[in-house]
Amino acid sequence: MTIDPMQEAAHMTPDAAAPSTISERLDQLAQEAGGGAVTLDWILAQLHERAFGLFLLVLALPCCIPFLYGVPQIVALPLMFVSAQILMGRSTPWLPAKLGARSVTGASLSALATRAGPWLRRIEALSRPRLAAFTRRPMDQLVGVALVVFSASILVPLPGTNTVPGIAVVIVAMGLLQRDGILVLLGSLLGTAWIATLLVAGATLASVIKTWLGF
């Protein structure tokens, strides 16, 4: 039997026979969770062949909400851990017991699917397979480096530090799922520009403080 080279990236990209779009799969995940709390391990187990891309998406979506505190910092560490596994070239993601045991409510998943659905459908309508080399090895491992840095930015407990990198991760995740290298590049550029802005602003602030203190 001949193996299609594109199967190399199947852990991040949609199965051709998949019965649902990404937005529909997110709705289905919320329905499967029901009204009770579910763990990140449970969510990961439901994602099957789309595990990497969809798990990145589920973790990053709450981070897109401006001035939201607490939740982004809860999901940022698992997000960084999964991103590091993309960098290392793992075929399937996993979480350590302590991270996997973190829980979210079914109601939260349902609210997330409702709020994110219209935006995800817009992206789905615009995306298509193109520049697919950016969605598979070795290029996706370079993307993993960027995702680790973006996740680290989300961990910073300062106003607004979660929103832009969260949006960047969502765009990258959609690109990986849709085999759309353009989306992967756009998300990577957005996140990189944000990190550069933070570094420049931090250096400028440090210089102003040193000058004010007379150093």
Side-chain angles (χ1 to χ4, degrees):
M1 180 178 66
T2 302
I3 298 177
D4 187 338
M6 294 299 288
Q7 290 178 355
E8 178 184 358
H11 61 290
M12 287 191 186
T13 54
D15 191 317
S20 61
T21 64
I22 297 167
S23 54
E24 288 171 344
R25 184 65 188 94
L26 188 59
D27 286 334
Q28 184 182 6
L29 183 66
Q31 292 173 6
E32 290 169 351
V38 294
T39 65
L40 294 183
D41 271 340
W42 180 88
I43 294 174
L44 191 55
Q46 311 309 309
L47 303 181
H48 307 301
E49 78 284 347
R50 291 171 141 187
F52 263 119
L54 272 174
F55 201 50
L56 285 173
L57 189 68
V58 170
L59 292 174
L61 281 171
C63 302
C64 299
I65 302 173
F67 304 106
L68 177 68
Y69 301 102
V71 175
Q73 285 67 45
I74 290 173
V75 300
L77 194 57
L79 184 61
M80 183 184 295
F81 197 84
V82 172
S83 299
Q85 292 174 63
I86 297 176
L87 167 61
M88 293 184 293
R90 281 186 58 89
S91 58
T92 54
W94 68 279
L95 291 174
K98 286 186 178 180
L99 293 183
R102 294 185 178 186
S103 63
V104 296
T105 64
S108 296
L109 278 178
S110 181
L112 186 64
T114 300
R115 295 182 67 172
W119 296 100
L120 295 181
R121 284 189 284 274
R122 288 187 182 97
I123 297 175
E124 288 166 348
L126 294 172
S127 65
R128 62 182 184 276
R130 49 191 171 179
L131 297 182
F134 287 98
T135 69
R136 59 177 183 264
R137 296 173 189 165
M139 294 302 296
D140 66 342
Q141 291 174 277
L142 294 178
V143 174
V145 175
L147 291 173
V148 169
V149 176
F150 302 163
S151 303
S153 173
I154 294 170
L155 274 172
V156 178
L158 293 175
T161 54
N162 58 282
T163 305
V164 176
I167 293 172
V169 175
V170 166
I171 294 173
V172 170
M174 290 293 288
L176 293 174
L177 286 163
Q178 300 287 81
R179 293 180 180 170
D180 191 339
I182 296 294
L183 285 181
V184 172
L185 286 174
L186 287 175
S188 299
L189 289 173
L190 175 62
T192 301
W194 173 250
I195 297 299
T197 300
L198 284 182
L199 292 176
V200 171
T204 302
L205 179 60
S207 177
V208 169
I209 292 174
K210 287 175 66 176
T211 301
W212 182 68
L213 294 176
F215 291 115

